[in-house]
Amino acid sequence: MIRFKPGAPRGVPPRFLSRLSSLALPTAWGAVAVACPLARDDALGARLISSAVLCAVGTGIVLHVRRRMLREVRHARRIAEAAQSVLLRPPPPRVEGLAVAAVHLSADPGARIGGDLYEVTATEHGVRAVIGDVRGHGLGAVRTGAAVLGSFREAAHDEKTLAGVLRRLERAMDRHLRERADGDHPAPDGAPAAEEFVTVLLLEIDPDGEVHALNCGRPWPYRLTGTDAEPLARADPLPPLGLFPLPGDLPTAACGRLLPGDILVLHTDGAEEARDADGRFFPFRDVLTEAARDRPQTPQAVLRAVLTALLDHSVGPPKDDVALLILRNERCSPPTRPTRGASRSATADR
C-alpha cells in the first residue's frame, strides 16, 4: 500500500519525492555556477574558474548520489539478512541434552541462504531434526525451502510419528508446486514446476538415545564414535519429494543408539561434491574420521575442522550450497524409555 505525504501530488511515490528533494541543493549549486557571470566571461582565467566550479559541483552530485545509494543498499541488506535469519534461523546451542552446531554456505554471492535447509527442535515425541536440499539454488530454491521448513516446524510437534511428519512435508511440497504451475509464484530461473524437487532426511532421537530416520534421497549422516566416522545407516532411500508420490508404507529406519559422547553429522551434497583444482572430490569422511580423534570433541570443534578443510580444498567459493548440522549426545546416562507400542513397528509407522 503506497502512502502519500501531506501536500504531495497524488500518484507520485514518496520515495521519488525524497530522492528529488535530496538533489535540490546540488542542482541549485550547479544552476548558480552556470548563471555565474564568470561562466559567460571570455577571459581564460574566468573560464578556468568556471570549469573548476562546475567540476566540483558535478563531483559533489556524484558523491551525494553514491552515498545515498550505498545507504539504500545497506538498508536493503539488513532487511534481507533479517528475513534470511527468520527462514534459516540458527539452532539453539543445546536441545534436550544434545549439543548443536550448524552452518550454511550459499553458492550465491552475497546471500546467506539458498537451497539447503535444516532445523532441530525438541518435541514431546523426542528431538526431531531435518536437513534438506532443494534442486538448484537462488530465490526459487529459497521459496521451496521455506515451504518445506514451515511445514516441518508445525508437523514436528503435531505428528506422533516420523511418517506423519513426512506426509505433511509431501503435502506442503505438492501445494507449492501447484502454485508454481498456476503461475502464482514462478521461479526466477524459469525452471518448470515439474523439475522441482527436494531431498530431505528426518531424524528422531529418543530420550534413551535411540535414533530413527526417514530418508528421501539424502546421503546418510555420519556417526562419530571417538575413533571413526561411519554412516548412520545403509538402507536405500525413498525418492525425493516432488518427483514421485511417496509409497503407501513409510517404515522408519532403526539406526541404533546414540551413546553419550557420540556425534551425528548431517550434511548436504555440497560438502561431499566440492572439488579442488584437479577435480578431486572433498574427502569428507576422512576429514570426519580425523576430527573424531581430536580433543576436545565438540560440535563446534568438528564444524571448524570440516570448514577449514573444505575451504582449503575448494577452488574459490562453493559451487553448490553447503549445510552442516552437528548433534552431540551430552546426556549423562540414557533414561528408561516408556513403551511406545506399535509406533516403532515398521508397518504401523506411516
Side-chain angles (χ1 to χ4, degrees), residues 226-243:
T227 58
D228 198 5
E230 298 180 351
L232 184 63
R234 299 183 184 275
D236 293 334
L238 296 166
L241 299 181
L243 286 181

Side-chain angles (χ1 to χ4, degrees), residues 135-137 140-141 180 186-192 196:
R135 184 205 66 84
H137 51 82
R180 278 200 49 196
D189 57 5
E196 193 75 29

Side-chain angles (χ1 to χ4, degrees), residues 1-5 10-15:
M1 178 177 177
I2 299 177
R3 298 183 180 275
F4 300 95
K5 295 181 180 179
R10 298 193 62 82
V12 181
R15 179 174 296 182

Side-chain angles (χ1 to χ4, degrees), residues 24-171:
L25 184 59
T27 303
W29 292 344
V32 170
V34 172
C36 178
L38 292 176
R40 298 189 297 272
D41 198 326
D42 292 336
L44 178 61
R47 289 184 178 181
L48 292 176
I49 294 175
S50 177
S51 298
V53 171
L54 287 173
C55 182
V57 170
T59 303
I61 293 176
V62 171
L63 292 177
H64 177 79
V65 173
R66 181 178 180 272
R67 285 194 296 268
R68 184 173 183 86
M69 292 179 65
L70 287 176
R71 286 197 299 268
E72 292 184 358
V73 169
R74 286 193 291 265
H75 181 65
R77 181 171 295 177
R78 286 194 295 268
I79 294 175
E81 289 177 352
Q84 291 172 344
S85 64
V86 171
L87 175 59
L88 197 62
R89 57 197 181 198
R94 291 181 63 86
V95 178
E96 292 293 328
L98 302 177
V100 183
V103 71
H104 179 270
L105 301 178
S106 176
D108 283 349
R112 290 190 176 183
I113 59 176
D116 290 354
L117 57 98
Y118 57 76
E119 184 71 84
V120 57
T121 184
T123 75
E124 61 178 309
H125 315 292
V127 174
R128 287 176 169 173
V130 64
I131 191 165
D133 188 356
V134 181
R135 184 205 66 84
H137 51 82
L139 291 179
V142 170
R143 290 194 182 104
T144 304
V148 175
L149 264 183
S151 178
F152 172 80
R153 286 167 178 165
E154 291 187 1
H157 296 275
D158 296 342
E159 300 294 334
K160 294 182 179 180
T161 65
L162 276 186
V165 177
L166 187 58
R167 295 290 185 195
R168 290 273 292 273
L169 300 190
E170 182 185 31
R171 290 196 293 270

